[in-house]
């Protein structure tokens, strides 16, 4: 069983601290068996104060970090010191040193500060809460910060934006580890969407549109029902009763990507689901997902995911007994 250690530091928000246990605890196989073992620990095994006025008592110390396959670091008020250029404390540095090479490292929200202060993000892409992005960039100029995305997957280190983006990242990890079906089950049990489009930019000081202002929501729903069919930009604009220029601009404002990018992403999701959950030939998967041909599907999967349809199916679909 995959072992996850969640490191609780001083001033940890209870929601983000409990999030990994909730999501990964609801990740089950087809028989209802748990896929992960989650342990909450501190740097010395002692209780820590949360930012909600109560103390968190944990079941483990830094030894849990040494045994973990994945280590998750939620937000902490240590961030304020790190922002001013202060180094990690001795106990925290010692605890992090116990993590085995090759262990997957994950941060939620401003937990990214801890990874950056440890030098683990130098020269690497990462994200954090958009509100802290300017201060983070000043404190850690070597990190390639992207404040617009919900999370960043850089292989063995993954970072997420604020609060709910941590849920997005946890579900993403379930999907990467065990496929779409397991992630969807976990999402249903947590009553959250298994995947959210867009990034943080959609949450940054955006005025709420007036009810009379037309949106592209209905057109997106219409397109999702017709992904297997050819859909042109002109047809999308006509359905939304907008000019091409207005529709494209409004679509980008709402979804943070072009209509073509969004359509391709949705079709890739359908193709991935079919590759994971069916034995349909790749040609038929390409047709049903709207790519038209196996060659088109292959090109899009390689450019976006870096893998062919056959290799993807081999990775995410269990071999027959």
């Amino acid at each position: 069983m995959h072992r996850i250690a969640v490191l609780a530091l001083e001033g940890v928000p209870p929601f983000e601290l409990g999030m990994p246990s909730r999501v990964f605890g609801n990740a089950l196989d087809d028989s209802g068996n748990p896929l992960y073992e989650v342990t909450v620990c501190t740097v010395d095994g002692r209780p820590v104060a949360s930012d909600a006025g109560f103390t968190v008592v944990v079941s483990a110390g830094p030894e849990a970090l040494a045994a973990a396959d994945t280590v998750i670091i939620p937000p902490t008020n240590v961030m304020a010191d790190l922002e001013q250029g202060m180094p990690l404390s001795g106990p925290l540095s010692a605890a992090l040193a116990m993590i085995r090479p090759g262990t997957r490292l994950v941060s939620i929200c401003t937990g990214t500060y801890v990874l950056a202060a440890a030098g683990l993000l130098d020269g690497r892409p990462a994200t954090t809460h958009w509100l802290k992005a300017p201060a983070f960039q000043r404190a850690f100029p070597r990190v390639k910060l992207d404040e617009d995305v919900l999370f960043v997957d850089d292989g063995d280190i993954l970072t997420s934006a604020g609060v709910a983006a941590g849920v997005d990242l946890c579900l993403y990890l379930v999907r990467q580890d065990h496929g779409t079906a397991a992630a969807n089950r976990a999402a249903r049990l947590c009553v959250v969407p298994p995947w959210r489009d867009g990034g943080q930019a959609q949450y940054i000081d955006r005025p709420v549109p007036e009810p009379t202002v037309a949106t592209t929501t209905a057109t997106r729903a219409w397109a999702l029902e017709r992904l297997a069919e050819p859909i042109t930009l002109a047809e999308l604009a006509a359905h939304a009763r907008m000019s091409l220029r207005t529709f494209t601009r409004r679509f980008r404002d709402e979804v943070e990507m072009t209509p073509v990018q969004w359509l391709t992403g949705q079709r890739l999701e359908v193709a991935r689901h079919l590759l994971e959950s069916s034995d349909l030939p790749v040609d038929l998967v390409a047709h049903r997902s709207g790519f038209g041909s196996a060659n088109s599907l292959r090109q899009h999967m390689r450019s976006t995911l870096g893998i062919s349809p056959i290799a993807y199916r081999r990775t995410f679909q269990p071999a027959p007994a």
Side-chain angles (χ1 to χ4, degrees):
M1 188 180 297
H2 191 104
R3 295 163 296 184
I4 296 176
V6 183
L7 180 59
L9 299 171
E10 286 293 328
V12 63
F15 181 82
E16 286 90 331
L17 177 62
M19 183 190 301
S21 296
R22 175 66 67 178
V23 175
F24 292 109
N26 281 322
L28 311 172
D29 64 18
D30 293 336
S31 301
N33 300 309
L35 295 169
Y36 298 90
E37 176 185 292
V38 183
T39 302
V40 179
C41 66
T42 60
V43 297
D44 54 11
R46 297 175 183 174
V48 295
S50 73
D51 72 347
F54 58 82
T55 299
V56 177
V57 179
V58 299
S59 60
E63 69 280 356
L65 302 175
D69 302 301
T70 295
V71 171
I72 299 178
I73 303 177
T76 167
N77 62 12
V78 172
M79 170 199 69
D81 294 335
L82 301 179
E83 207 169 68
Q84 301 303 316
M86 297 179 63
L88 296 174
S89 69
L92 177 52
S93 295
L96 295 177
M98 295 183 68
I99 299 174
R100 292 174 295 137
T103 300
R104 184 167 62 187
L105 301 177
V106 178
S107 69
I108 297 174
C109 194
T110 55
T112 312
Y113 275 78
V114 176
L115 297 179
L120 299 171
L121 295 179
D122 287 354
R124 302 184 66 159
T127 192
T128 191
H129 195 291
W130 62 266
L131 187 62
K132 302 302 297 181
F136 181 95
Q137 197 69 86
R138 287 192 298 270
F140 306 106
R142 296 182 181 177
V143 180
K144 299 177 181 178
L145 188 69
D146 186 347
E147 63 183 275
D148 291 333
V149 297
L150 294 176
F151 59 82
V152 170
D153 177 358
D154 193 36
D156 58 335
I157 298 183
L158 300 94
T159 54
S160 73
V163 193
V167 176
D168 296 321
L169 180 51
C170 289
L171 287 171
Y172 171 80
L173 288 173
V174 175
R175 178 174 185 158
Q176 294 299 103
D177 293 344
H178 299 287
T180 299
N184 287 349
R185 278 194 298 268
R188 291 190 193 100
L189 289 171
C190 294
V191 198
V192 295
W195 183 269
R196 288 193 295 161
D197 290 323
Q200 288 195 81
Q202 61 188 305
Y203 301 104
I204 304 176
D205 294 332
R206 296 271 179 154
V208 178
E210 295 295 329
T212 56
V213 175
T215 73
T216 64
T217 303
T219 298
R220 279 180 273 138
W222 174 83
L224 287 175
E225 296 176 355
R226 294 164 175 79
L227 288 177
E229 307 169 13
I231 303 174
T232 66
L233 182 56
E235 288 173 329
L236 292 171
H239 181 274
R241 298 183 180 180
M242 301 177 191
S243 68
L244 280 174
R245 184 175 180 180
T246 299
F247 176 78
T248 301
R249 183 181 68 250
R250 193 155 293 165
F251 197 100
R252 287 186 67 101
D253 288 343
E254 295 176 11
V255 187
E256 298 298 327
M257 61 182 73
T258 68
V260 172
Q261 289 171 332
W262 179 83
L263 270 176
T264 301
Q266 298 304 314
R267 284 170 169 155
L268 274 174
E269 290 302 306
V270 173
R272 291 169 70 167
H273 174 72
L274 291 174
L275 289 170
E276 294 177 21
S277 61
S278 76
D279 294 321
L280 293 174
V282 173
D283 282 336
L284 193 51
V285 169
H287 174 73
R288 291 192 179 183
S289 58
F291 286 105
S293 69
N295 187 52
S296 177
L297 173 60
R298 191 175 301 110
Q299 289 177 349
H300 279 94
M301 289 194 68
R302 283 199 176 279
S303 64
T304 304
L305 306 176
I307 192 171
S308 70
I310 295 298
Y312 184 89
R313 170 172 276 166
R314 192 161 49 239
T315 300
F316 288 98
Q317 190 178 88

